[in-house]
Structures are given as C-alpha cells and as structure tokens.
Amino acid sequence: TAPAVPSFVMDEATQKKANIGFLGNDFRNNFFGKTEESVAEAALALHSLERGSIDKPILVQLGENAEISLAQFIGLIEKQADGQEGTLLVNGYANIAYIHDNNGALWAVCAFWLFGYGCWSVYAYSVGGPYWWGAGLRIVSRDS
C-alpha cells in the first residue's frame, strides 16, 4: 500500500531524498516541477513482464489500473534510496510505472538502480513510441 501524500513536488530536494542521481531529459522536461495534492492511499500491484512488449499491450492488460501517481512511484524509490531489497527491483532491471505529466500526457516512467554509482536513474518514455521493454522488468500499477 502506498500511503496518502498531502502534497508532493518533484524538485531537487525530492530527487536528493530519493537518491536519484540521473534524470533523463524527457523526465526532467515533463515531470520536474510537477506537483500533486491530496494523493490518496492506494493499494499497488507488482507485475513481472513475462515477455518483451511495447507499452500499448501492457496498458490494455492493466486497463483502468495502469496509472499511478508520481508521488507513489517516487515514494517507492525513496523507501529503497540506498538500493536495498524491497518492492522495486535493484538488480539493474527497470521498474516501470505509467504516470501523467503536468500536461495530462501519459508516460512510461522507469527507474533502475545503478550499482556502480549507488543511486537511482529515472527516465520517461512516450507510450506512443516504439520503445521495447524486455522480459523480467517490473511494472507497478494500482491494484484492482
């Protein structure tokens, strides 16, 4: 369960607290500065991608439960800020969440632990693009 968050802003302080060392340009351009107010507590589900896929079939299978908030996803990263075992994969594989940006566009936001740097790396990819996710990755969604 992701706890309720009264107020969230994706800024340098949040980045530091979650130990995010690298931000991709699309994430920085579309999510940095994003604010979320009154994010409700939510049950989250974890899915392991059994075979490679683009976003569209994943989104169809997850249906209305596909999207989570940025506060929830960053909260998961923060709980594992030092790369310790937990909800998210810390083996170098991506953890993916579908999140709307400030303009309402849906993105695949991925985070992966960088062993050699001792920090997280976070990127955003357009769900309309041809980006291919490999088997073994973790998808985080709302629980039904």
Side-chain angles (χ1 to χ4, degrees), residues 50-90:
E50 294 178 4
R51 63 179 186 276
S53 180
I54 57 174
D55 292 303
K56 187 173 181 179
I58 297 169
L59 289 167
V60 167
Q61 186 158 355
L62 293 174
E64 65 185 27
N65 294 320
E67 182 190 353
I68 69 170
S69 73
L70 184 59
Q72 291 163 341
F73 194 53
I74 298 299
L76 292 174
I77 294 170
E78 192 176 305
K79 286 180 183 175
Q80 293 175 251
D82 295 321
Q84 64 271 39
E85 292 294 323
T87 302
L88 300 177
L89 298 173
V90 291

Side-chain angles (χ1 to χ4, degrees), residues 3-136:
V5 179
S7 182
F8 170 85
V9 61
M10 185 65 224
D11 59 11
E12 289 177 7
T14 300
Q15 180 181 353
K16 184 175 182 177
K17 188 174 180 185
N19 191 19
I20 299 170
F22 298 94
L23 294 176
N25 288 335
D26 282 335
F27 184 87
R28 185 175 297 282
N29 292 338
N30 293 284
F31 290 95
F32 210 77
K34 179 178 175 141
T35 60
E36 295 175 343
E37 300 294 333
S38 303
V39 177
E41 178 180 290
L44 300 179
L46 305 174
H47 313 274
S48 180
L49 199 57
E50 294 178 4
R51 63 179 186 276
S53 180
I54 57 174
D55 292 303
K56 187 173 181 179
I58 297 169
L59 289 167
V60 167
Q61 186 158 355
L62 293 174
E64 65 185 27
N65 294 320
E67 182 190 353
I68 69 170
S69 73
L70 184 59
Q72 291 163 341
F73 194 53
I74 298 299
L76 292 174
I77 294 170
E78 192 176 305
K79 286 180 183 175
Q80 293 175 251
D82 295 321
Q84 64 271 39
E85 292 294 323
T87 302
L88 300 177
L89 298 173
V90 291
N91 60 359
Y93 280 44
N95 300 277
I96 305 159
Y98 294 99
I99 303 171
H100 281 96
D101 68 12
N102 280 327
N103 298 315
L106 187 64
W107 293 81
V109 176
C110 77
F112 56 94
W113 179 252
L114 296 171
F115 296 105
Y117 292 95
C119 63
W120 288 91
S121 184
V122 179
Y123 295 85
Y125 297 92
S126 170
V127 297
Y131 196 81
W132 185 262
W133 301 108

